[in-house]
Amino acid sequence: MLGLLPPNGRLVEGQVLFKGRDLARMSKAELEKVRGNEIGMILQDAMTSLNPLLTIGEQVGEVFKYHQGVTNKAELRRKSVEVLEKVKIPAAESRLDSYPFQFSGGMRQRVSIAINVALSPDLLICDEPTTALDVTVQLQILKLLRELQQEQSMAIVFVTHDLHLAAQFCDDVAIMYGGRVVESGPVREVFENPVHPYTEGLLNAVPSLSAYSERLVAIPGQQPSLSNLPPGCRYAPRCSMATDQCRAQYPDWFEWNEGERRVACWLTEERLVGCH
Ligand code: SF4
């Protein structure tokens, strides 16, 4: 979306629409204006996303230097302190001259959040932002993200493998399999009434504290290789309900509730009738 990686393929069709503009077809210079200003991105491990050779102050200050043209050192420091305080870094002024290795994992992730919300973007992409953190710090970071989201009226795309986190944090969820969204809708509805067999399999695989079972339920088989996808539905080799049509043809979207709920599975209608 943001062209951060070297191209490892080519775009043959489709668009990445953001506020009516196609990110996939923007020039490098146009994309540079979108990054940071309009879309921020928080990566999984701040230890590797921050530069180990620059102080925290230099890295936060860069945002104002390159995007707002601030060159006055005192002004850069003032703005950097302000944004570090916003993400609740204690004694922010004195921490400006520290290096990332002198911060704990949670504090480093706060710095990374500070850099990415400094310019009040409209969208913040969080790619597994709490995976490298322990559970209590995870909660603090989620709380902070929620506060910032409300304060700055910003949308968040939260990428996660953790269904509990998605249920706690998100309004809407899109379940992906083999590189495509297979089911989407309001998080509560999708988790309470999953329709796609993969969503159902994922939810069945979540261990329960209240119901004891000898064995955990797992989805049989392996994820397909993205360079060698099966024809038809990508989930068919693992799906107990697969038919010849599933193996031959990729399923169309089935939509209801004015498109709020969407499922890509040939059996959606049948399964919905069975539920009601
Ligand atoms: S389209 Fe067929 S194979 Fe794919 S999830 Fe639905 S039932 Fe299973």
Side-chain angles (χ1 to χ4, degrees), residues 74-261:
E75 176 70 356
L76 279 176
R77 269 186 95 82
R78 189 190 61 75
K79 279 179 164 280
S80 301
V81 170
E82 212 174 87
V83 73
L84 287 179
E85 279 173 351
K86 200 175 193 175
V87 297
K88 303 187 173 61
I89 300 239
E93 169 91 64
S94 65
R95 303 305 309 264
L96 280 184
D97 302 314
S98 307
Y99 288 87
F101 79 90
Q102 294 169 307
F103 278 61
S104 67
M107 284 295 155
R108 274 196 294 271
Q109 197 56 298
R110 282 176 194 265
V111 173
S112 170
I113 295 172
I115 292 172
N116 282 283
V117 300
L119 304 174
S120 304
D122 300 306
L123 173 66
L124 186 66
I125 303 172
C126 300
D127 183 8
E128 302 258 14
T130 57
T131 308
L133 306 171
D134 66 50
V135 184
T136 39
V137 182
Q138 235 180 46
L139 273 181
Q140 292 165 7
I141 295 290
L142 287 180
K143 198 167 157 253
L144 173 68
L145 283 171
R146 199 189 293 276
E147 279 168 20
L148 291 168
Q149 186 235 329
Q150 280 163 2
E151 222 175 279
Q152 302 195 174
S153 305
M154 136 186 103
I156 294 186
V157 172
F158 196 87
V159 183
T160 183
H161 286 94
D162 188 328
L163 300 180
H164 285 302
L165 273 191
Q168 262 180 15
F169 191 71
C170 304
D171 298 315
D172 298 295
V173 67
I175 307 286
M176 293 190 77
Y177 185 80
R180 282 202 174 185
V181 174
V182 293
E183 174 157 13
S184 65
V187 76
R188 221 194 163 89
E189 263 186 52
V190 173
F191 285 0
E192 279 176 8
N193 300 303
V195 177
H196 195 282
Y198 178 58
T199 315
E200 202 175 45
L202 279 182
L203 290 165
N204 285 341
V206 176
S208 159
L209 281 179
S210 52
Y212 176 78
S213 76
E214 289 280 334
R215 290 183 73 86
L216 295 176
V217 185
I219 300 174
Q222 298 287 330
Q223 289 266 3
S225 151
L226 290 183
S227 58
N228 185 24
L229 288 165
C233 173
R234 294 171 182 185
Y235 189 56
R238 304 173 76 184
C239 181
S240 60
M241 286 172 261
T243 61
D244 288 345
Q245 184 189 26
C246 301
R247 283 182 273 270
Q249 226 180 329
Y250 193 85
D252 294 331
W253 278 113
F254 188 93
E255 299 184 353
W256 67 105
N257 283 0
E258 291 167 1
E260 196 181 55
R261 283 286 268 126

Side-chain angles (χ1 to χ4, degrees), residues 32-47:
E32 249 159 45
K33 282 192 203 133
V34 173
R35 291 185 201 134
N37 278 319
E38 295 180 76
I39 305 182
M41 180 149 188
I42 296 167
L43 302 169
Q44 196 175 102
D45 181 4
M47 188 62 185

